[in-house]
Amino acid sequence: MSAGHHRYVATNRRVREDRRFVAGKGQFVADIDLPNMKHVALVTCPYAAARIKSIDKKAALATPGVHYVLDGAELAAATLPLMTGLDTPNVPRRPLAFEVARYSGEWVAAVVADTRALAEDAAEAIEIDYEPLPFVLDAEQAIAPGASLVHEPHGSNVLLDKTFVWGEVDKDFATSPHKLSLRVKWARSSTVPIETFGVVASWDPWSDILDVYASIQMPRYTDQIGAALKIAGSSVRVHYDVDVGGSYGVKRGIKHTVLCGYLARRLGFPVRLIEDRLENMRGGDAHGPERLFDIEVAFDNDGIVRSMKMRALENVGAYAGRSPFQLGKPIGAIVGPYKIRSVQYRAMAVVTNKTTQEAVRGFGQAPTNLAIERVMDEVANVLGLDPLEVRRRNLIRSDEFPYQIPSGTTYDSGNYETVIAKVLADTSYDELKKERDRLRAEGNLAGIGIAACLEPSGGNATFEALLNPANTTSTFMDSCRINVDGLGAITATMHTTSSGQGHETLVGTVIGEVLQLDPDIIRVTRPDSLNSLPSGTPVASRMAIMLGGAAFHAAHKLKMKLTTIAAHDLGIPMERAVYERGEVYDRNAPDKRRSWMDLVAIAHRNYHRMPQDFEPGLAVEHIYQVPTGGTLPTKDGRVQMYPCFSFEFHLLLLAIDPDLGVPEILRYRLGHDCGTQINPKIVRGMTLGGIAHGIGAAFYEEFAYNDDGQLIAQTFMDYLLPSSQEVPAVDIIDHETPSPHTVLGQKGSGESGYLGAPAAIANAVNDALRPLGVSINTLPLKISKLGDLIAEAQAKKG
Amino acid sequence: MKAAPFRYFRAADIDEACALLAADEGARVIAGGQTLVPMMVMRLARPTRLIDINRIAALSYIRKDANGIAIGATTRQCLVERDALVATELPLLARAIPFIGHNATRARGTIGGSLANADPAAELSLIAITLDATLSYRAGGKTSHIPARDFFVGPMTTSLPAGACLTGVCFPVWLGKIGVGFHEVNARRSDFAFVSAAAQVEFGPDGKCKRIAIGVGAATDFPMRLETAEQQLKGTALDERTVGAALREALSDFEPLSDLHASAEYRRRAADKLAARAIADACAHAQGKKTHAH
Amino acid sequence: MRIELEVNSVTYALDVEERTTLLDCLRDALGLKGAHAGCEHGVCGACTVLLDGVAVRSCLIFAPQAEGSAITTIEGLSPSPGELSPIQDAFCETHGMQCGYCTPAMILVAYALLADNPSPTREEIVEAISGNICRCTGYAQIVEAIALAAERIRGANRPLELRK
């Protein structure tokens, strides 16, 4: 419960997974070679929208080494459409386009050949007759009258249009002296891991099992594979010991998996699809949010924001994916860390003829934070107040927790003023302002950017029920199993893949903490899905809380079992039995003790010495429910969403070359509070990585399309990822306000840095441009855009 | 992304390379491969045969000759980067080379490969144009020479005849009190430049500009010299105002490219600013002072 | 096409298609999976190997071109099975990775850097790894790993040697 003194938790232990990675012995999906395995290459649609009139496979099939060509019609006849969370039966999504292709790059046919190179050769030989169709790319155009329909049977381009009103919004607006509206655009970018998505599927007709090895980060993966292929979940064996080369949300790969699963069953040999970078960028369906915010706030003369109206318009792409739900999750922190008392929120998800999106780090929180933080800065600007002062006046105070926000979620704990104070003790705000002013005096544009925002963590699927009342899910569990074998060795299992978060280390550390044993002696393995307990997988910044919680409770059960066995064997009541570092002794007579090996022997071999009706052996498990979960939304759309809320405060100084528009971050400080840090090195690494992601989204990254609906940023030459040169040194100042809901006081940190960096950077850029009387509210803040904006403003000033 | 099939040949000398080129219309030479291989794996280039010239020792050299510093076509960019002769005799080239790609691409990429590829944003093309380099190529057993200004004719297009292979480039050396400046602007440090500018200045004993060469790259289909500005600035002190006016005039009918990364307007302004900075750097360099930070 | 490649001081006789990249050859023909494909067009650097001690992108070299050069992959860096070299150990100490995908490449780049420059400044380390993209770490703990490795190697008895 508290961040008290720990033996192993909160110490800088090595991350055990690192050992295999530095040796090049990670097991990534492309490293897996199965006998007789064949390779897939995709044929993609070149048009933004087109009817598929005919597919001529003859030349491809005649190519040596080619085994099969699969088209959308065959796949549609044999499988069910992929699951979507919304109730939109007329917007089916399939691995291969069926009758109509709806974005440039959509997969239309799959070639199976002896090698990837041969599959690509054959893919070129496939002749497809397309009839180009009208298309729409912009979300606002897609909802305007007369727009071409991406899915004719659906009747419109709107997948979701839901408005929530929490509190007395109209009254608060009417009674506030000031109002301010702003339009903020988060351009289409994504997490773009260096490893693309890949899957190997192999069907054994003798045991009726489909083996799946994939670079996967996805809840309900086995469910969705089984559903689409029309086989039982118990016929799907996903191997969780595949190392995933980065995901940060996007590696859902369900269409790739259904495609390969079908081919493996159909063809009788293992089938492998490793996306190449072009397939990934255009048709991997791993794009991130493209969101337009229209936000309006009502505030008083002191800068206290009383009410907020927000319309979030999301350009989902051609099919639903997880995108619409990224409009729902931010509801759980819709007012950020502020005491805004009423909110109107309109969530609109719209289809266009662009690549489908997938879940991206933060699940919509980062774009929402950008909108809120830009508005807070503009409130300060309008009133002539310091932006940090405006934050202070609006922030929830530490004595106000637990704090319930208008949309029904209660924030567990926080101490925002202390985090900010710590940052400012490290870096004087006044000194920073002086430095900014000095840079300005030298002829530069310079600005200070701040952002204060929350990381909802722990996961809970209730945003699904908010956006689709037919979905009544009120849990998002995780699990851990521990077995001590006949010779006393401890093995714990976790039941999902990981993509660099150090979960094996997490489990070992937590179990070691509870059992008071060196975590390094605790083996942590990942069984496959048929040997696993349920897991929500590493999404939603949940694993420290949920896997940590499951491991903690399982370890505690084991400790209790050991203590009970010892007490019984020592002939003492439980209250006198003391567990210490794997041994149990009589408090009144410490020499009377049972060692670890004694207890193992009793449990495994000497049943006659066991307490009555006890199970033999030393095996325990725990399946952990989301703390504060278990409820569904009320009729007016209020619900407890996530259990825990971490806090981050960004403070940076930025200069812009006025002639060239080139921005440079000169100083970056982050105050970070995620409660107890189970492994500080892991947390620091994730936060710094999140900031780098945020820098990419703020300055460099965009999936840009031309007017013909072609993705023009399809390689790494045009989609620009930050290198070591683009990420400045960042100082992180930690604070720990434990969560009352979690076993060790830990909160999540998987999204830290990314959630606030784009907002802080956007605020810094706007502060830098303020003397010119211009502002910019569209990401990415590209050099050319900044340069043009500055030049225009200077020309006006004469 | 796997290349389309091709036959691989390793040429022992330049004439064998040319013969192999001549024998097949779809043949292409490969040196460093840093640009050709990406195009091949994306199937934008589909040579039927690839002629590897990396082993032709006679094409890898850096030496002084009567006309300046001659560099062989297959000389690795990293060798030029570290070469003492280049540092003293061709300071503008030395200044520009670290901007080409990354260490790993300069380890394989060659001088000739970059020039023959003729990317509008290539630093080497800009330096070749700015210094009036002469390129040499071999075809059908004969060596020919062509000035840089006649070599680059369009984006990714040179006047190299079919079946010819670039063999080297010669950069004239300026004597006297020299200064150089090089600037580029790009999204990330080692990206293709949006705009680049190179300047080399020679000062006379009177402290005035005796000679100046100014080149602007990445903004048009191939790098260009600002010849009117060069003429105007000869004999001046290269003060900020005079330079500014000369550049403004030289760029007045400038029609730069517009693309995903930068608007034409941006390139127009940046060309002006970068050229001015390059000239200022060249002046400071000639006088032994510190130059503008990048 | 028959070629001979020297990888980690062992010479292999292989039969590969001319168009096979060095990356694919190492991974598929030799089972050396430590070099990774990230983009296959020479930008991300995850495919980095050392060619005669110099860090290069193996996705941009066709296998036949690598004949006659000494190739070093990450597998060639561990002194013995289960044992970590100083650079590998430093990466573990600072947690200079998360998913591990870019890690072998980063370590090889570090190796080449420290063989050439045993006392790099922070700027020099940043520059050396600037051709390798990491999406997980934001680079800080990688830079710290390389600085730590440099410090340890400087203080050790044996200089950093590359098997040539």
mmCIF file with all atom_site columns, all heavy atoms in Angstrom, chain A residues 469-487:
data_model
loop_
_atom_site.group_PDB
_atom_site.id
_atom_site.type_symbol
_atom_site.label_atom_id
_atom_site.label_alt_id
_atom_site.label_comp_id
_atom_site.label_asym_id
_atom_site.label_entity_id
_atom_site.label_seq_id
_atom_site.pdbx_PDB_ins_code
_atom_site.Cartn_x
_atom_site.Cartn_y
_atom_site.Cartn_z
_atom_site.occupancy
_atom_site.B_iso_or_equiv
_atom_site.pdbx_formal_charge
_atom_site.auth_seq_id
_atom_site.auth_comp_id
_atom_site.auth_asym_id
_atom_site.auth_atom_id
_atom_site.pdbx_PDB_model_num
ATOM 1   N N   . PRO A 1 469 ? -23.231 0.508   -25.727 1.00 0.00 ? 469 PRO A N   1
ATOM 2   C CA  . PRO A 1 469 ? -23.948 -0.035  -24.562 1.00 0.00 ? 469 PRO A CA  1
ATOM 3   C C   . PRO A 1 469 ? -24.174 -1.534  -24.617 1.00 0.00 ? 469 PRO A C   1
ATOM 4   O O   . PRO A 1 469 ? -24.402 -2.166  -23.593 1.00 0.00 ? 469 PRO A O   1
ATOM 5   C CB  . PRO A 1 469 ? -25.274 0.732   -24.578 1.00 0.00 ? 469 PRO A CB  1
ATOM 6   C CG  . PRO A 1 469 ? -24.972 1.986   -25.319 1.00 0.00 ? 469 PRO A CG  1
ATOM 7   C CD  . PRO A 1 469 ? -23.947 1.628   -26.342 1.00 0.00 ? 469 PRO A CD  1
ATOM 8   N N   . ALA A 1 470 ? -24.076 -2.116  -25.812 1.00 0.00 ? 470 ALA A N   1
ATOM 9   C CA  . ALA A 1 470 ? -24.268 -3.563  -25.902 1.00 0.00 ? 470 ALA A CA  1
ATOM 10  C C   . ALA A 1 470 ? -23.097 -4.316  -25.282 1.00 0.00 ? 470 ALA A C   1
ATOM 11  O O   . ALA A 1 470 ? -23.195 -5.493  -24.962 1.00 0.00 ? 470 ALA A O   1
ATOM 12  C CB  . ALA A 1 470 ? -24.424 -3.978  -27.367 1.00 0.00 ? 470 ALA A CB  1
ATOM 13  N N   . ASN A 1 471 ? -21.989 -3.604  -25.086 1.00 0.00 ? 471 ASN A N   1
ATOM 14  C CA  . ASN A 1 471 ? -20.804 -4.227  -24.490 1.00 0.00 ? 471 ASN A CA  1
ATOM 15  C C   . ASN A 1 471 ? -20.846 -4.024  -22.984 1.00 0.00 ? 471 ASN A C   1
ATOM 16  O O   . ASN A 1 471 ? -20.849 -2.901  -22.503 1.00 0.00 ? 471 ASN A O   1
ATOM 17  C CB  . ASN A 1 471 ? -19.551 -3.572  -25.091 1.00 0.00 ? 471 ASN A CB  1
ATOM 18  C CG  . ASN A 1 471 ? -18.284 -4.261  -24.640 1.00 0.00 ? 471 ASN A CG  1
ATOM 19  O OD1 . ASN A 1 471 ? -18.152 -4.609  -23.480 1.00 0.00 ? 471 ASN A OD1 1
ATOM 20  N ND2 . ASN A 1 471 ? -17.353 -4.442  -25.558 1.00 0.00 ? 471 ASN A ND2 1
ATOM 21  N N   . THR A 1 472 ? -20.921 -5.128  -22.250 1.00 0.00 ? 472 THR A N   1
ATOM 22  C CA  . THR A 1 472 ? -21.070 -5.005  -20.795 1.00 0.00 ? 472 THR A CA  1
ATOM 23  C C   . THR A 1 472 ? -19.823 -5.494  -20.055 1.00 0.00 ? 472 THR A C   1
ATOM 24  O O   . THR A 1 472 ? -19.903 -6.081  -18.984 1.00 0.00 ? 472 THR A O   1
ATOM 25  C CB  . THR A 1 472 ? -22.294 -5.798  -20.320 1.00 0.00 ? 472 THR A CB  1
ATOM 26  O OG1 . THR A 1 472 ? -22.170 -7.143  -20.824 1.00 0.00 ? 472 THR A OG1 1
ATOM 27  C CG2 . THR A 1 472 ? -23.583 -5.183  -20.815 1.00 0.00 ? 472 THR A CG2 1
ATOM 28  N N   . THR A 1 473 ? -18.670 -5.255  -20.632 1.00 0.00 ? 473 THR A N   1
ATOM 29  C CA  . THR A 1 473 ? -17.440 -5.699  -19.986 1.00 0.00 ? 473 THR A CA  1
ATOM 30  C C   . THR A 1 473 ? -17.089 -4.786  -18.813 1.00 0.00 ? 473 THR A C   1
ATOM 31  O O   . THR A 1 473 ? -17.028 -3.575  -18.967 1.00 0.00 ? 473 THR A O   1
ATOM 32  C CB  . THR A 1 473 ? -16.288 -5.671  -21.003 1.00 0.00 ? 473 THR A CB  1
ATOM 33  O OG1 . THR A 1 473 ? -16.671 -6.389  -22.175 1.00 0.00 ? 473 THR A OG1 1
ATOM 34  C CG2 . THR A 1 473 ? -15.025 -6.296  -20.420 1.00 0.00 ? 473 THR A CG2 1
ATOM 35  N N   . SER A 1 474 ? -16.869 -5.385  -17.654 1.00 0.00 ? 474 SER A N   1
ATOM 36  C CA  . SER A 1 474 ? -16.472 -4.571  -16.493 1.00 0.00 ? 474 SER A CA  1
ATOM 37  C C   . SER A 1 474 ? -15.253 -5.169  -15.795 1.00 0.00 ? 474 SER A C   1
ATOM 38  O O   . SER A 1 474 ? -15.103 -5.064  -14.586 1.00 0.00 ? 474 SER A O   1
ATOM 39  C CB  . SER A 1 474 ? -17.644 -4.440  -15.519 1.00 0.00 ? 474 SER A CB  1
ATOM 40  O OG  . SER A 1 474 ? -17.991 -5.726  -15.021 1.00 0.00 ? 474 SER A OG  1
ATOM 41  N N   . THR A 1 475 ? -14.430 -5.809  -16.558 1.00 0.00 ? 475 THR A N   1
ATOM 42  C CA  . THR A 1 475 ? -13.195 -6.322  -15.995 1.00 0.00 ? 475 THR A CA  1
ATOM 43  C C   . THR A 1 475 ? -12.097 -6.257  -17.048 1.00 0.00 ? 475 THR A C   1
ATOM 44  O O   . THR A 1 475 ? -12.385 -6.200  -18.246 1.00 0.00 ? 475 THR A O   1
ATOM 45  C CB  . THR A 1 475 ? -13.335 -7.774  -15.495 1.00 0.00 ? 475 THR A CB  1
ATOM 46  O OG1 . THR A 1 475 ? -12.085 -8.149  -14.876 1.00 0.00 ? 475 THR A OG1 1
ATOM 47  C CG2 . THR A 1 475 ? -13.617 -8.738  -16.641 1.00 0.00 ? 475 THR A CG2 1
ATOM 48  N N   . PHE A 1 476 ? -10.875 -6.269  -16.569 1.00 0.00 ? 476 PHE A N   1
ATOM 49  C CA  . PHE A 1 476 ? -9.728  -6.288  -17.465 1.00 0.00 ? 476 PHE A CA  1
ATOM 50  C C   . PHE A 1 476 ? -8.598  -6.909  -16.664 1.00 0.00 ? 476 PHE A C   1
ATOM 51  O O   . PHE A 1 476 ? -7.694  -6.249  -16.196 1.00 0.00 ? 476 PHE A O   1
ATOM 52  C CB  . PHE A 1 476 ? -9.407  -4.848  -17.898 1.00 0.00 ? 476 PHE A CB  1
ATOM 53  C CG  . PHE A 1 476 ? -8.707  -4.739  -19.214 1.00 0.00 ? 476 PHE A CG  1
ATOM 54  C CD1 . PHE A 1 476 ? -8.950  -5.627  -20.253 1.00 0.00 ? 476 PHE A CD1 1
ATOM 55  C CD2 . PHE A 1 476 ? -7.789  -3.720  -19.440 1.00 0.00 ? 476 PHE A CD2 1
ATOM 56  C CE1 . PHE A 1 476 ? -8.308  -5.509  -21.483 1.00 0.00 ? 476 PHE A CE1 1
ATOM 57  C CE2 . PHE A 1 476 ? -7.142  -3.591  -20.679 1.00 0.00 ? 476 PHE A CE2 1
ATOM 58  C CZ  . PHE A 1 476 ? -7.406  -4.476  -21.689 1.00 0.00 ? 476 PHE A CZ  1
ATOM 59  N N   . MET A 1 477 ? -8.693  -8.189  -16.476 1.00 0.00 ? 477 MET A N   1
ATOM 60  C CA  . MET A 1 477 ? -7.923  -8.912  -15.470 1.00 0.00 ? 477 MET A CA  1
ATOM 61  C C   . MET A 1 477 ? -6.494  -9.221  -15.886 1.00 0.00 ? 477 MET A C   1
ATOM 62  O O   . MET A 1 477 ? -6.128  -9.071  -17.034 1.00 0.00 ? 477 MET A O   1
ATOM 63  C CB  . MET A 1 477 ? -8.645  -10.218 -15.149 1.00 0.00 ? 477 MET A CB  1
ATOM 64  C CG  . MET A 1 477 ? -8.735  -11.160 -16.331 1.00 0.00 ? 477 MET A CG  1
ATOM 65  S SD  . MET A 1 477 ? -9.881  -12.522 -16.055 1.00 0.00 ? 477 MET A SD  1
ATOM 66  C CE  . MET A 1 477 ? -11.237 -12.066 -17.129 1.00 0.00 ? 477 MET A CE  1
ATOM 67  N N   . ASP A 1 478 ? -5.726  -9.677  -14.909 1.00 0.00 ? 478 ASP A N   1
ATOM 68  C CA  . ASP A 1 478 ? -4.438  -10.284 -15.213 1.00 0.00 ? 478 ASP A CA  1
ATOM 69  C C   . ASP A 1 478 ? -4.099  -11.363 -14.188 1.00 0.00 ? 478 ASP A C   1
ATOM 70  O O   . ASP A 1 478 ? -4.804  -11.502 -13.180 1.00 0.00 ? 478 ASP A O   1
ATOM 71  C CB  . ASP A 1 478 ? -3.308  -9.256  -15.348 1.00 0.00 ? 478 ASP A CB  1
ATOM 72  C CG  . ASP A 1 478 ? -2.476  -9.558  -16.590 1.00 0.00 ? 478 ASP A CG  1
ATOM 73  O OD1 . ASP A 1 478 ? -1.683  -10.526 -16.525 1.00 0.00 ? 478 ASP A OD1 1
ATOM 74  O OD2 . ASP A 1 478 ? -2.656  -8.855  -17.602 1.00 0.00 ? 478 ASP A OD2 1
ATOM 75  N N   . SER A 1 479 ? -3.045  -12.123 -14.454 1.00 0.00 ? 479 SER A N   1
ATOM 76  C CA  . SER A 1 479 ? -2.858  -13.350 -13.673 1.00 0.00 ? 479 SER A CA  1
ATOM 77  C C   . SER A 1 479 ? -1.394  -13.712 -13.521 1.00 0.00 ? 479 SER A C   1
ATOM 78  O O   . SER A 1 479 ? -0.550  -13.322 -14.321 1.00 0.00 ? 479 SER A O   1
ATOM 79  C CB  . SER A 1 479 ? -3.585  -14.493 -14.374 1.00 0.00 ? 479 SER A CB  1
ATOM 80  O OG  . SER A 1 479 ? -3.129  -14.585 -15.722 1.00 0.00 ? 479 SER A OG  1
ATOM 81  N N   . CYS A 1 480 ? -1.156  -14.518 -12.504 1.00 0.00 ? 480 CYS A N   1
ATOM 82  C CA  . CYS A 1 480 ? 0.197   -15.028 -12.280 1.00 0.00 ? 480 CYS A CA  1
ATOM 83  C C   . CYS A 1 480 ? 0.079   -16.371 -11.580 1.00 0.00 ? 480 CYS A C   1
ATOM 84  O O   . CYS A 1 480 ? -0.802  -16.567 -10.738 1.00 0.00 ? 480 CYS A O   1
ATOM 85  C CB  . CYS A 1 480 ? 0.992   -14.050 -11.413 1.00 0.00 ? 480 CYS A CB  1
ATOM 86  S SG  . CYS A 1 480 ? 2.693   -14.571 -11.125 1.00 0.00 ? 480 CYS A SG  1
ATOM 87  N N   . ARG A 1 481 ? 0.940   -17.266 -11.924 1.00 0.00 ? 481 ARG A N   1
ATOM 88  C CA  . ARG A 1 481 ? 0.943   -18.592 -11.306 1.00 0.00 ? 481 ARG A CA  1
ATOM 89  C C   . ARG A 1 481 ? 2.359   -18.851 -10.812 1.00 0.00 ? 481 ARG A C   1
ATOM 90  O O   . ARG A 1 481 ? 3.320   -18.484 -11.461 1.00 0.00 ? 481 ARG A O   1
ATOM 91  C CB  . ARG A 1 481 ? 0.542   -19.625 -12.346 1.00 0.00 ? 481 ARG A CB  1
ATOM 92  C CG  . ARG A 1 481 ? 0.342   -21.027 -11.826 1.00 0.00 ? 481 ARG A CG  1
ATOM 93  C CD  . ARG A 1 481 ? -0.372  -21.893 -12.870 1.00 0.00 ? 481 ARG A CD  1
ATOM 94  N NE  . ARG A 1 481 ? 0.269   -21.780 -14.170 1.00 0.00 ? 481 ARG A NE  1
ATOM 95  C CZ  . ARG A 1 481 ? -0.374  -21.909 -15.334 1.00 0.00 ? 481 ARG A CZ  1
ATOM 96  N NH1 . ARG A 1 481 ? -1.653  -22.141 -15.373 1.00 0.00 ? 481 ARG A NH1 1
ATOM 97  N NH2 . ARG A 1 481 ? 0.296   -21.793 -16.467 1.00 0.00 ? 481 ARG A NH2 1
ATOM 98  N N   . ILE A 1 482 ? 2.468   -19.450 -9.637  1.00 0.00 ? 482 ILE A N   1
ATOM 99  C CA  . ILE A 1 482 ? 3.795   -19.771 -9.107  1.00 0.00 ? 482 ILE A CA  1
ATOM 100 C C   . ILE A 1 482 ? 3.814   -21.236 -8.721  1.00 0.00 ? 482 ILE A C   1
ATOM 101 O O   . ILE A 1 482 ? 2.877   -21.730 -8.086  1.00 0.00 ? 482 ILE A O   1
ATOM 102 C CB  . ILE A 1 482 ? 4.124   -18.929 -7.857  1.00 0.00 ? 482 ILE A CB  1
ATOM 103 C CG1 . ILE A 1 482 ? 3.909   -17.430 -8.127  1.00 0.00 ? 482 ILE A CG1 1
ATOM 104 C CG2 . ILE A 1 482 ? 5.566   -19.199 -7.408  1.00 0.00 ? 482 ILE A CG2 1
ATOM 105 C CD1 . ILE A 1 482 ? 4.066   -16.555 -6.900  1.00 0.00 ? 482 ILE A CD1 1
ATOM 106 N N   . ASN A 1 483 ? 4.877   -21.909 -9.079  1.00 0.00 ? 483 ASN A N   1
ATOM 107 C CA  . ASN A 1 483 ? 5.050   -23.292 -8.667  1.00 0.00 ? 483 ASN A CA  1
ATOM 108 C C   . ASN A 1 483 ? 6.444   -23.460 -8.060  1.00 0.00 ? 483 ASN A C   1
ATOM 109 O O   . ASN A 1 483 ? 7.429   -22.981 -8.635  1.00 0.00 ? 483 ASN A O   1
ATOM 110 C CB  . ASN A 1 483 ? 4.891   -24.225 -9.866  1.00 0.00 ? 483 ASN A CB  1
ATOM 111 C CG  . ASN A 1 483 ? 4.978   -25.684 -9.466  1.00 0.00 ? 483 ASN A CG  1
ATOM 112 O OD1 . ASN A 1 483 ? 4.279   -26.123 -8.543  1.00 0.00 ? 483 ASN A OD1 1
ATOM 113 N ND2 . ASN A 1 483 ? 5.830   -26.452 -10.134 1.00 0.00 ? 483 ASN A ND2 1
ATOM 114 N N   . VAL A 1 484 ? 6.482   -24.116 -6.910  1.00 0.00 ? 484 VAL A N   1
ATOM 115 C CA  . VAL A 1 484 ? 7.779   -24.479 -6.340  1.00 0.00 ? 484 VAL A CA  1
ATOM 116 C C   . VAL A 1 484 ? 7.937   -25.971 -6.573  1.00 0.00 ? 484 VAL A C   1
ATOM 117 O O   . VAL A 1 484 ? 7.073   -26.754 -6.155  1.00 0.00 ? 484 VAL A O   1
ATOM 118 C CB  . VAL A 1 484 ? 7.831   -24.159 -4.833  1.00 0.00 ? 484 VAL A CB  1
ATOM 119 C CG1 . VAL A 1 484 ? 9.204   -24.535 -4.268  1.00 0.00 ? 484 VAL A CG1 1
ATOM 120 C CG2 . VAL A 1 484 ? 7.524   -22.691 -4.593  1.00 0.00 ? 484 VAL A CG2 1
ATOM 121 N N   . ASP A 1 485 ? 9.002   -26.366 -7.211  1.00 0.00 ? 485 ASP A N   1
ATOM 122 C CA  . ASP A 1 485 ? 9.120   -27.787 -7.569  1.00 0.00 ? 485 ASP A CA  1
ATOM 123 C C   . ASP A 1 485 ? 9.685   -28.616 -6.426  1.00 0.00 ? 485 ASP A C   1
ATOM 124 O O   . ASP A 1 485 ? 9.969   -28.105 -5.327  1.00 0.00 ? 485 ASP A O   1
ATOM 125 C CB  . ASP A 1 485 ? 9.941   -27.945 -8.862  1.00 0.00 ? 485 ASP A CB  1
ATOM 126 C CG  . ASP A 1 485 ? 11.434  -27.707 -8.687  1.00 0.00 ? 485 ASP A CG  1
ATOM 127 O OD1 . ASP A 1 485 ? 11.914  -27.587 -7.526  1.00 0.00 ? 485 ASP A OD1 1
ATOM 128 O OD2 . ASP A 1 485 ? 12.129  -27.621 -9.719  1.00 0.00 ? 485 ASP A OD2 1
ATOM 129 N N   . GLY A 1 486 ? 9.826   -29.898 -6.679  1.00 0.00 ? 486 GLY A N   1
ATOM 130 C CA  . GLY A 1 486 ? 10.218  -30.848 -5.630  1.00 0.00 ? 486 GLY A CA  1
ATOM 131 C C   . GLY A 1 486 ? 11.599  -30.614 -5.048  1.00 0.00 ? 486 GLY A C   1
ATOM 132 O O   . GLY A 1 486 ? 11.938  -31.146 -4.004  1.00 0.00 ? 486 GLY A O   1
ATOM 133 N N   . LEU A 1 487 ? 12.402  -29.822 -5.718  1.00 0.00 ? 487 LEU A N   1
ATOM 134 C CA  . LEU A 1 487 ? 13.725  -29.505 -5.187  1.00 0.00 ? 487 LEU A CA  1
ATOM 135 C C   . LEU A 1 487 ? 13.823  -28.060 -4.728  1.00 0.00 ? 487 LEU A C   1
ATOM 136 O O   . LEU A 1 487 ? 14.907  -27.565 -4.462  1.00 0.00 ? 487 LEU A O   1
ATOM 137 C CB  . LEU A 1 487 ? 14.787  -29.789 -6.253  1.00 0.00 ? 487 LEU A CB  1
ATOM 138 C CG  . LEU A 1 487 ? 14.987  -31.276 -6.599  1.00 0.00 ? 487 LEU A CG  1
ATOM 139 C CD1 . LEU A 1 487 ? 16.085  -31.450 -7.626  1.00 0.00 ? 487 LEU A CD1 1
ATOM 140 C CD2 . LEU A 1 487 ? 15.307  -32.100 -5.340  1.00 0.00 ? 487 LEU A CD2 1
#
